[in-house]
C-alpha cells in the first residue's frame, strides 16, 4: 500500500504505514509550510515506508496523443505556469491552490454547468475508512446525505456478540468483559435477550491516536500512582518513628512489608504499558432493526461518563446514518454494523487520516468556504475500509473483495482506490478478475493511484498502474499548488509531474499511467487528529482529484441522458487530456496528459450515440505463443539489434448485457492505422473491425535509433468519425542501452546540470558477470541545499522490478558513495533526479559528476544447498570483469521448520458481505498449525506459495494469527509476515484462506507452512577450505584470494558442526543464511573490508540426530536386576500407569478407582511414586460440587506421600556427594532427588489445600491456634526447597498474605511472574489482583484488570 505522514516541510515526507521494507507510500503529507532552502547537512536515506527525508518522487510530462484534439484548453494551464516568475498569490488564489481545480478545467466546467457538480454520482472510497464526522462530509451541495454507508471490509473491527444474557431484577446485565452494566429502561427489546461482546479499544485506533491517548492516560495514572507512593512512604516513615530499632522478628517483617509495598509501586510505574481500556458492546433487536450500544467508562476515566445506559443506540449506518464518539478524550467517531442475526458487530473506525483526506478531495462540500470544496461537492460517497487496523493500515484480500461486493450492492458509479504496491504479474490475480467483472458487467468506473515509486520507469504499481480495467492516475503539481499548498519560496515556472510519481511502462508493455491530475491538496481529516484539514500529496491525492472530475462528468451524462459506460468515460478523458510535454517519451510519466473535465464532457456529448465498446489488445511476438502482452516493450541490447514482428489481436469488448442482434452483429468499423514514427514502427494502413475482432502485424526496426529511451505509438482512427481521436493504442517502448568498456567497466557522467524537477536517465547494459555496482556522486556550484533521488531498475521475468533507491541531500559541494547489487546481463536504468521543489529558490543549476563502476564475482551456483552430511560443497568463482578480492563470508542466522496443519475446516461464510455479485458464497478454509518453543525466540511464519503477493494472487486471503494456550493473540499478519518475539511455550497458528471454489481450497488443506526462527546469538558462521577433507582434518582453511579475469578459483564451504546446530532443530528443518564473495573497493580508509552488497542464499538441511549413548548406559545398568525383579517392576509401573488413566466421571468409576487404590496401597505400602500418582489423580478430579471435601482429600493424599518417605534417611543421602564415576551412586542420587521433589510437591499441595479451606471456612481456620498446621507444613517445605521459586512461590505468597503482609506477598508474586519464562498463568495474575485490592490500590487494580483481557481473553477474536 502507499501512504504517508506529516513532514516538517512541503518537500519532505515520511511513511505513515510500514508493512514491508520494499513498499513506498502512495501519499505524502505536510503538516505545515516552510521554506525548502534552510541549510541541512548532507544526508543519505533509503526511500520507502520507513521515515525518510524524501518521499515525494518525480514525474515526467506526456503529450496528447489525439491528433485531432485542439490544444487550446491546455493553454490556460500553460499560461498560468508561464506567469509564475515571482509568482504571487491573493487570498482567493491561495485558497484555490489548497484544493486545485483550475488545472483540470473543473472551474470552467462548473461555471458553465453549476448543477452538474457531482449530483447523482455515487463514489465508493476503497481506503483506510472515512470519518463521517469530518468537515465537509455531512451533506452534498443539494442537501442530501454525503456518506450513505461506512463499512469495515477487513473484519479488524469485528466483535463476537453471540453470547446471550438476560437482565436481572435491577435491569442490569453482565457484559462480556465481566462488568455489570445497567440497561436503559427506555430501550425497546421485545425478546429481552441482550447479546454481549467486548473489544480492546486500542485495536480500533491508529498508532498516532493511541500514542496521544497513552500520554494523556499515563499522566493521570502517574498522578494516582504518585499519590499512592506518597501514602506508602508516609506509612513507612510513621512506622520507623514508632519503632526506631525493631528487634522483634514480627516488627522487622512488618517493616519489610511496608518497604515492599513502596518498591512494588515504584516498579509498577517503571513497567507501565497501557494496552488500553475495554469497551463492552451490547446488541439487541428492537422489533424493527438491530441496535448497538457501547459502554466506554474505561476510556472516559470517569464513572459518571461513558455509561451504557447513556449511550444513544446505533443501528447499521446505511439505515439511519448515525455515528458515535467514543469519548471527548479521543474525539474518535465510529459507526456500528450488525451481521449474522446479531452474532457479529462491526465497529468501524478509520485506520489513518488517508481515506478522509481522499474523500474530501473527491467530494467535500463547504458551504461557508466554497473555494475549499472538493472537486465534486454534489457527489455522494460510501466508505469501504480496506486497510486493516491489525496490520497498521495494510490492505488485505478479504477487504478488497468485500469492498467490490459493497460497491456493486450500492450501485456505485465510481470507485476510487488510493492503495497499491509492486507486482510480479501485471493485470493478473483474483482481485483483478473481480474488478474486470465489476467494470464490464456492472459498469462501475474504477480509478486508482499509479504509485509513488518514481522517478524511474517501470515503477507503476498494482492495481492502478498495471490493470487494463482500472484508470491509473499520475500526480501533477502546478505553479499555484507549489506556491500556495506547498509554500515554496519560489514556485516553478511551469507545471510538472511530482518527482516521486510512478512511471510506466508495465512489464508487459502497457502505458501504465492513464492520465494525470493534481497530486496535492489541503483536505479534511478525521476529528481525532484535532484539526479539520491537512496538506497531503501523492498519487493518493491525484486519484480522487481525477475521480471527482469524472464524477462531474457522470453527473452531467446522467442529467443529459448520455449512456454511461466506463468505456465511454475512459475514452473521453484520455482523448481530451491536455499535453504536459511535447516529448513523446514523457507519456510514460504523465499518461495521455492532464485531465480536462470540460473537454471530456463535450467529447461525451458528441459520442452519445456511439456503441458502448472498449478495445482489448493482445500482442504476441511472431514465433512465440506466450506471453500475451498489452504493448511492445524492447528492453535490452539484443532486442534492439534486430527487426522484430508482432501480431496484434484487436477485439471489441461490449458490456455483458449487450444485445447480440442490436449491438454485436451490426458492429463494424473501418479504422485507419497510424504510427508516430514509420521509420521504426511499420504497420498496415487500414483494418476492418467487426465484433469477432481482427489481427494485424507490426514490424519494429530499432537498428538505427540512438541509445536511450524511445516511445512510439500505433493507434487506430475511425475513418467515419476522426473527431473521436485514437480509439485504441498500442504502446511501443524501446530502450537501447549503452555497452561499457574497461577493467572494470565504468560509466562516467561529467558536468550534468540540474534544476528543480530535472531528471537524467541512462540505460546501461550491465556486463555479464557483474554482481554489484559502486557509485560516486560529486556536486558543485551549490548556493542552497539540494536533494536528489537516485534510482536503478532492472527487469527480470516473473519477478518484481529489481530496484535500488536512495535519497541524498547536499548542503554544500561534497562527495557521496553508494554500492548496491545488480544482475549481470540485464539492462539497468539509472535515474538521477533533483527533487521538484529542491533548489527552486536558486538561479544556479546544480553541477553533478557521476561515476558508476561495475564489479562482480560469478559462482557456479547462486544458491548453496548443503545436504546435511559432513561433506563440504565445492564453489567455483570467477571474475569476468576485472581483478577482484575473493573473501567469502557465510552465516546461517535463521532456521525454518516445516509444519503440516493438524486440523482443516471449510466454512461457507454466513453474511451478505461475503456473497459475490454473481451470487456465489465465499468459502473460508481455516488451517490450524501447532508449534512449540523451548526458549523465547523471534519467529515468523513463511508460506512460499502465497506470501508477498496481494494483487497477483488467485486467493483472496492469507491472514494468520499466532496465539498461546491462553488464547492471547501475539501476532497477526497477511501477505507480508513479520517477526514477533514469543516466550517459551506452545502456540497455535491459524491460517485463513478464502475463495468461492472449494476445489481450489481442497488442494490447500495440507499446505506446508514454515516457522522461521532467528538464531540471533546462535548465528552460525561457516568455514571455507581449499581441500575436500578440510572440515574433518581441520586444516587447509581458505581465507581470501585475488581473482584474475577469466581464471576460475575453487574452494569448499563446510557444513556446520553438529555442536553448533541450534537446540530444537528437528531433522528435516532448514538452516538459512547468506553468503558473500567480494569486498567493495575502498571508498575511504575505514571501509577496507566492507563486504560487497551482492549476497546469495545458503541453506543447510538439519541431519538426523545422533544416537543417545546415555540411553544405552541406562539399559545396561538396568540389566543388573534379575529377570523376576525387572518383571515385578514392570508390572507395578503398569498398574500405576493404568490407575492414572482411569476417569472418575461418575460414582461407579470413582468406586472402581477407590478399590484399585486400596489394592495398590496394600500391595506397595511404602512405594512413594504410587502415592505421588494418587495425589496427582486427586488433584485432577473435578471440584465443582464440594470444594472443601476435595481439599481434604488432597490433604490426606499428600500426607500419605509424606508418610511413605523416611525423611531422615533422605536427608542423609542427599547430603552425600556421590562418586561421579560410579554409575550406581549417580543413579541413587537421581532417585533421591526425585523422592525429594515428590515430598516437596506433596507439602506444597497440602499447603494450598489448607489455605483454600481456610478461605472457604474462615471460622474453622482459627481453631487450634496453638498448633498451626499450615505454618508447620510450610516450615517443613522450606527445609527441602526454596519456597520462593516459581514452582513453590504461590505458597509463600499465601503465607505472607495470611500474616497480613500483602506487600511482601506481592513482591514474591511479582518475582515469580518475572522469572517465569513461559506463557502467563492466570491463577498468578488473579492472585496479584486480589493482593492489590486488599492493599487498596484502585488504579493498579484497574490497570491489571485491563491486562487480563489481553493475557487471558475468553475466546479468539473473529477473523
Amino acid at each position: 500500500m502507499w501512504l504517508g505522514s506529516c513532514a516538517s516541510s512541503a518537500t519532505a515526507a515520511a511513511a505513515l504505514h510500514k508493512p514491508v521494507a520494499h513498499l513506498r507510500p502512495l501519499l505524502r503529507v505536510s503538516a505545515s509550510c516552510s521554506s525548502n532552502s534552510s541549510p541541512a547537512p548532507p544526508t543519505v536515506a533509503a526511500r520507502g515506508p520507513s521515515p525518510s527525508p524524501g518521499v515525494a518522487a518525480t514525474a515526467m510530462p506526456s503529450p496528447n496523443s489525439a491528433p485531432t484534439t485542439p490544444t487550446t484548453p491546455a493553454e490556460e494551464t500553460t499560461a498560468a505556469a508561464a506567469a509564475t516568475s515571482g509568482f504571487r498569490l491573493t487570498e482567493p488564489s491561495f485558497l484555490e491552490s489548497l484544493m486545485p481545480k483550475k488545472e483540470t478545467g473543473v472551474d470552467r466546467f462548473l461555471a458553465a454547468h453549476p448543477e452538474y457538480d457531482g449530483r447523482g454520482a455515487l463514489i465508493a472510497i476503497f481506503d483506510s475508512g472515512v470519518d463521517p464526522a469530518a468537515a465537509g462530509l455531512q451533506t452534498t451541495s443539494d442537501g442530501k446525505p454525503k456518506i450513505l454507508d461506512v463499512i469495515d471490509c477487513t473484519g479488524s473491527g469485528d466483535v463476537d456478540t453471540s453470547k446471550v444474557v438476560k437482565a436481572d431484577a435491577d435491569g442490569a446485565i453482565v457484559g462480556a468483559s465481566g462488568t455489570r452494566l445497567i440497561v436503559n429502561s427506555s430501550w425497546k427489546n421485545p425478546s429481552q435477550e441482550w447479546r454481549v461482546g467486548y473489544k480492546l479499544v486500542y485495536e480500533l485506533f491508529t498508532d498516532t491516536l493511541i500514542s496521544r491517548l497513552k500520554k494523556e492516560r499515563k499522566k493521570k495514572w502517574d498522578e494516582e500512582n504518585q499519590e499512592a507512593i506518597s501514602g506508602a512512604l508516609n506509612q513507612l516513615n510513621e512506622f520507623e518513628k514508632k519503632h526506631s530499632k525493631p528487634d522483634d522478628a514480627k516488627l522487622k517483617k512488618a517493616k519489610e512489608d511496608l518497604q515492599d509495598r513502596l518498591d512494588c509501586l515504584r516498579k509498577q510505574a517503571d513497567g507501565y504499558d497501557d494496552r488500553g481500556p475495554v469497551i463492552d458492546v451490547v446488541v439487541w433487536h428492537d422489533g424493527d432493526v438491530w441496535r448497538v450500544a457501547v459502554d466506554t467508562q474505561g476510556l472516559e476515566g470517569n464513572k459518571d461518563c461513558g455509561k451504557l445506559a447513556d449511550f444513544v443506540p446505533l443501528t447499521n449506518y446505511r439505515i439511519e446514518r448515525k455515528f458515535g464518539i467514543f469519548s471527548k478524550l479521543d474525539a474518535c467517531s465510529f459507526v456500528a454494523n450488525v451481521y449474522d442475526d446479531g452474532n457479529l458487530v462491526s465497529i468501524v473506525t478509520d485506520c489513518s487520516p488517508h481515506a478522509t483526506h481522499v474523500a474530501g478531495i473527491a467530494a467535500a462540500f463547504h458551504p461557508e468556504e466554497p473555494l475549499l470544496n472538493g472537486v465534486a461537492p454534489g457527489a455522494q460517497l460510501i466508505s469501504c475500509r480496506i486497510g486493516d487496523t491489525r496490520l497498521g493500515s495494510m490492505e488485505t484480500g478479504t477487504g478488497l473483495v468485500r469492498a467490490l461486493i459493497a460497491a456493486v450492492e450500492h450501485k456505485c458509479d465510481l470507485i476510487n482506490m488510493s492503495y497499491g504496491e509492486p507486482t510480479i504479474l501485471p493485470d493478473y490475480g483474483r482481485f483483478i478478475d473481480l474488478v474486470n467483472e465489476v467494470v464490464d458487467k456492472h459498469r462501475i468506473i474504477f480509478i486508482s493511484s499509479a504509485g509513488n515509486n518514481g522517478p524511474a520507469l517501470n515503477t507503476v504499481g498494482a492495481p492502478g498502474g498495471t490493470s487494463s480495467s482500472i484508470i491509473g492516475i499520475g500526480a501533477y503539481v502546478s505553479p499555484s499548488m507549489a506556491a500556495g499548498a506547498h509554500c515554496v519560496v519560489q514556485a516553478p515556472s511551469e507545471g510538472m509531474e511530482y518527482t516521486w510519481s510512478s512511471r510506466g511502462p508495465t512489464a508487459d508493455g502497457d502505458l501504465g499511467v492513464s492520465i494525470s491530475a493534481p497530486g496535492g491538496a489541503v483536505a479534511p481529516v478525521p476529528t481525532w487528529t484535532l484539526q479539520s484539514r491537512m496538506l497531503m500529496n501523492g498519487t493518493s491525492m491525484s486519484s480522487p482529484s481525477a475521480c471527482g472530475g469524472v464524477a462531474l462528468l457522470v453527473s452531467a451524462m446522467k442529467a443529459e441522458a448520455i449512456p454511461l459506460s466506463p468505456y465511454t468515460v475512459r475514452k473521453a478523458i484520455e482523448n481530451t487530456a491536455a499535453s504536459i510535454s511535447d516529448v513523446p517519451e514523457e507519456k510514460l510519466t504523465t499518461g495521455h496528459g492532464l485531465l480536462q473535465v470540460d473537454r471530456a464532457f463535450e467529447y461525451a456529448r458528441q459520442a452519445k450515440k456511439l456503441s458502448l465498446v472498449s478495445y482489448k489488445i493482445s500482442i504476441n511476438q511472431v514465433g512465440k505463443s506466450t506471453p500475451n502482452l498489452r504493448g511492445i516493450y524492447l528492453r535490452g541490447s539484443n532486442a534492439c539489434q534486430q527487426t522484430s514482428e508482432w501480431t496484434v489481436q484487436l477485439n471489441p469488448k461490449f458490456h455483458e448485457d449487450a444485445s447480440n442482434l442490436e449491438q454485436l452483429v451490426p458492429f463494424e468499423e473501418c479504422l485507419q492505422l497510424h504510427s508516430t514514427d514509420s521509420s521504426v514502427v511499420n504497420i498496415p494502413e487500414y483494418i476492418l473491425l467487426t465484433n469477432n475482432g481482427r489481427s494485424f502485424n507490426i514490424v519494429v526496426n530499432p537498428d538505427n535509433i540512438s541509445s536511450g529511451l524511445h516511445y512510439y505509438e500505433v493507434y487506430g482512427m475511425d475513418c467515419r468519425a476522426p473527431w473521436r481521436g485514437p480509439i485504441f493504442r498500442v504502446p511501443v517502448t524501446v530502450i537501447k542501452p549503452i555497452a561499457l568498456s574497461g577493467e572494470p567497466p565504468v560509466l562516467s557522467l561529467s558536468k550534468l546540470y540540474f534544476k528543480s524537477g530535472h531528471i537524467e536517465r541512462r540505460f546501461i547494459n550491465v556486463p555479464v558477470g557483474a554482481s554489484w555496482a559502486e557509485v560516486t556522486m560529486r556536486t558543485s556550484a551549490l548556493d542552497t541545499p539540494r536533494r536528489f533521488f537516485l534510482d536503478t531498475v532492472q527487469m527480470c521475468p516473473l519477478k518484481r522490478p529489481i530496484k535500488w533507491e536512495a535519497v541524498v541531500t547536499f548542503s554544500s559541494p561534497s562527495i557521496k558513495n553508494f554500492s548496491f547489487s545488480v544482475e549481470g546481463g540485464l539492462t539497468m536504468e539509472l535515474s538521477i533526479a533533483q527533487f521538484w521543489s529542491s533548489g527552486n529558490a536558486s538561479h544556479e543549476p546544480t553541477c553533478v559528476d557521476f561515476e558508476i563502476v561495475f564489479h562482480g564475482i560469478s559462482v557456479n551456483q547462486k544458491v548453496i544447498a548443503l545436504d546435511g552430511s559432513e561433506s563440504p560443497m565445492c564453489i567455483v568463482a570467477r571474475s569476468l570483469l576485472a581483478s577482484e578480492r575473493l573473501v567469502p563470508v557465510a552465516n546461517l542466522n535463521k532456521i525454518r521448520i516445516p509444519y503440516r496443519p493438524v486440523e482443516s475446516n471449510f466454512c461457507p461464510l454466513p453474511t451478505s458481505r461475503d456473497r459475490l455479485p454473481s451470487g456465489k458464497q465465499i468459502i473460508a478454509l481455516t488451517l490450524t498449525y501447532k508449534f512449540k518453543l523451548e526458549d523465547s525466540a523471534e519467529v515468523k511464519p513463511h508460506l512460499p506459495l502465497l506470501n508477498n503477493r496481494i494483487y497477483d494472487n488467485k486467493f483472496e486471503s492469507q491472514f494468520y494469527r499466532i496465539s498461546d494456550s491462553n488464547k492471547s493473540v501475539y501476532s497477526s499478519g497477511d501477505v507480508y509476515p513479520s517477526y514477533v518475539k514469543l516466550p517459551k511455550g506452545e502456540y497455535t497458528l491459524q491460517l485463513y484462506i478464502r475463495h468461492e471454489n472449494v476445489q481450489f481450497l481442497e488442494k490447500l488443506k495440507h499446505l506446508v507452512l514454515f516457522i522461521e526462527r532467528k538464531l540471533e546469538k546462535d548465528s552460525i558462521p561457516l568455514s571455507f577450505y581449499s581441500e575436500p577433507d578440510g572440515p574433518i582434518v581441520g586444516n587447509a582453511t581458505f581465507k581470501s584470494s585475488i581473482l584474475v579475469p577469466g581464471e576460475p578459483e575453487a574452494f569448499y564451504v563446510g557444513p556446520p558442526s553438529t555442536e553448533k546446530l541450534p537446540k530444537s532443530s528437528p531433522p528435516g528443518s532448514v538452516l538459512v543464511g547468506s553468503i558473500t564473495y567480494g569486498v567493495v573497493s575502498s571508498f575511504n580508509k575505514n571501509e577496507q573490508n566492507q563486504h560487497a552488497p551482492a549476497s546469495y542464499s545458503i541453506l543447510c538441511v538439519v541431519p538426523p540426530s545422533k544416537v543417545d549413548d546415555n540411553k544405552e548406559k541406562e539399559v545396561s545398568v538396568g540389566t543388573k536386576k534379575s529377570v523376576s525383579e525387572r518383571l515385578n517392576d514392570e508390572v507395578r509401573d503398569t498398574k500405576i500407569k493404568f490407575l492414572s488413566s482411569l476417569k472418575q466421571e461418575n460414582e461407579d468409576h470413582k468406586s472402581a478407582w477407590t478399590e484399585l487404590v486400596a489394592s495398590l496401597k496394600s500391595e506397595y505400602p511404602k512405594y512413594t511414586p504410587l502415592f505421588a500418582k494418587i495425589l496427582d489423580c486427586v488433584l485432577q478430579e473435578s471440584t465443582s460440587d464440594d470444594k472443601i471435601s476435595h481439599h481434604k482429600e488432597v490433604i490426606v493424599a499428600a500426607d500419605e506421600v509424606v508418610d511413605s518417605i523416611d525423611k531422615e534417611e533422605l536427608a542423609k543421602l542427599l547430603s552425600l556427594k556421590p562418586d561421579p564415576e560410579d554409575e550406581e551412586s549417580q543413579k541413587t542420587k537421581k532417585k533421591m532427588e526425585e523422592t525429594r521433589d515428590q515430598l516437596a510437591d506433596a507439602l506444597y499441595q497440602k499447603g494450598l489445600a489448607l489455605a483454600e479451606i481456610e478461605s472457604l471456612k474462615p471460622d474453622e481456620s482459627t481453631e487450634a491456634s496453638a498448633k498451626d498446621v499450615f505454618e508447620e507444613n510450610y516450615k517443613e517445605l522450606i527445609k527441602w526447597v526454596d519456597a520462593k521459586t516459581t514452582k513453590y512461590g504461590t505458597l509463600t505468597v499465601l503465607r505472607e498474605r495470611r500474616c497480613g503482609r500483602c506487600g511482601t506477598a506481592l513482591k514474591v508474586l511479582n518475582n515469580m511472574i518475572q522469572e517465569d519464562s513461559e506463557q502467563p498463568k492466570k491463577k498468578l495474575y488473579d492472585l496479584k489482583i486480589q493482593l492489590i485490592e486488599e492493599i487498596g490500590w484502585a488504579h493498579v487494580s484497574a490497570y491489571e484488570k485491563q491486562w487480563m483481557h489481553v493475557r487471558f481473553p475468553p475466546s479468539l477474536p473473529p477473523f
Side-chain angles (χ1 to χ4, degrees), residues 543-621:
S543 182
S545 179
C547 188
V550 175
L552 300 180
L553 188 58
V554 169
S555 179
M557 292 174 72
K558 284 187 173 184
E560 298 195 3
I562 300 172
L564 185 60
S565 164
Y567 306 155
T568 305
V569 169
R570 182 166 192 156
K571 198 60 61 184
I573 64 176
E574 289 182 348
N575 280 355
T576 59
S579 257
I580 301 173
S581 171
D582 295 329
V583 180
E585 288 72 25
E586 293 298 276
K587 202 164 188 179
L588 296 169
T589 293
T590 64
H592 298 291
L594 189 62
L595 172 68
Q596 301 296 303
V597 175
D598 53 340
R599 292 169 56 180
F601 177 50
E602 293 305 319
Y603 184 101
R605 271 178 166 172
Q606 198 169 355
K608 181 175 182 177
K609 295 183 179 180
L610 294 177
S611 298
L612 305 181
V613 61
S614 70
Y615 300 85
K616 182 180 179 182
I617 294 171
S618 180
I619 304 171
N620 291 97
Q621 187 171 358

Side-chain angles (χ1 to χ4, degrees), residues 1029-1050:
D1029 298 318
I1032 304 300
V1033 299
N1035 58 13
T1037 301
F1038 183 89
K1039 294 291 186 183
S1040 65
S1041 179
I1042 301 296
L1043 290 175
V1044 178
E1047 293 295 325
E1049 179 139 4

Side-chain angles (χ1 to χ4, degrees), residues 110 161 371 403 460 556 906 919 1068 1115 1222:
L110 289 178
T161 52
L371 291 176
V460 286
F906 295 89
V1115 172
D1222 186 347

